[in-house]
Amino acid sequence: LLVDRMVGSRIYGVTPGEYGRVGQAALVNMACEELQRKNDKCRAYGIPVGGSNGLGTWGYVDAVQELMTQMNGVAANGDTSDEAAMAFDHVVLATGSGG
């Protein structure tokens, strides 16, 4: 949450009861609608818990491709020196809800 706040994110909190009663999809839609109501030029895109949709899946695919590129010794700036290569023993990934 600290990083979210540092970059100016707005965090919407709900109680477990509200989450169970209303449901995550409806809560995400409500937040998107509120943002769009406040700013008619806003194009809010709701991401389900855990990023469990097609776009979220592509995000994980892109992340793996980026890691493979880094492991093969090409930095984001095109640097191919030995120092640009990364070696990993483990990759640890938080997957949200696991959904």
Side-chain angles (χ1 to χ4, degrees):
L1 289 176
L2 174 63
V3 173
D4 293 321
R5 289 193 175 114
M6 289 172 62
V7 298
S9 297
R10 175 177 284 173
I11 300 167
Y12 294 87
V14 297
T15 65
E18 185 178 16
Y19 186 88
R21 202 171 43 259
V22 178
Q24 76 86 19
L27 289 166
V28 168
N29 288 337
M30 289 166 49
C32 289
E33 289 168 2
E34 179 182 334
L35 291 166
Q36 290 170 190
R37 228 182 358 264
K38 289 181 178 180
N39 180 352
D40 62 350
K41 293 180 182 177
C42 175
R43 292 180 51 199
Y45 180 80
I47 300 174
V49 173
S52 304
N53 65 2
L55 184 60
T57 300
W58 284 111
Y60 289 112
V61 170
D62 286 346
V64 170
Q65 288 175 337
E66 181 177 332
L67 283 171
M68 295 300 293
T69 299
Q70 291 174 8
M71 290 175 68
N72 290 327
V74 180
N77 64 2
D79 182 357
T80 57
S81 67
D82 286 343
E83 291 81 27
M86 295 183 166
F88 302 104
D89 292 319
H90 304 279
V91 175
V92 180
L93 176 68
T95 58
S97 68

